[in-house]
Amino acid sequence: MEISSQFLILVPVVLGITQVIKMTGLSSRYVPLLSLVLGMVGAILIGNLDSTSLLQGVIAGLSASGLYSGGKATVK
């Protein structure tokens, strides 16, 4: 499976959208699920509705969630 540059751009986009929605009052408990869903939706919009795009969306969503968690732990 080859990950294209379009899907790499999806990670910071998902991270940014997730943070904006989180500022509106969404509980931190649901942020990873939101990242996952946004990654999948973004991948479908970029690519096609197929298993490869969905898997890349899952990877992008989980990467965005992990990027935020890792950065937060490093700052503390």
Side-chain angles (χ1 to χ4, degrees):
M1 177 175 74
E2 182 179 323
I3 297 179
S4 68
S5 61
Q6 294 173 337
F7 289 100
L8 293 177
I9 294 171
L10 188 59
V11 174
V13 170
V14 169
L15 180 62
I17 293 171
T18 303
Q19 291 307 310
V20 168
I21 293 174
K22 188 175 169 184
M23 289 183 344
T24 63
L26 180 70
S27 173
S28 316
R29 178 181 202 172
Y30 301 112
V31 171
L33 180 63
L34 176 65
S35 295
L36 182 67
V37 170
L38 286 174
M40 290 171 53
V41 169
I44 290 170
L45 293 175
I46 290 173
N48 297 323
L49 182 57
D50 60 354
S51 61
T52 303
S53 291
L54 286 177
L55 181 61
Q56 289 179 347
V58 167
I59 291 170
L62 294 177
S63 295
S65 180
L67 181 65
Y68 176 76
S69 298
K72 185 176 171 184
T74 303
V75 170
K76 284 185 179 183

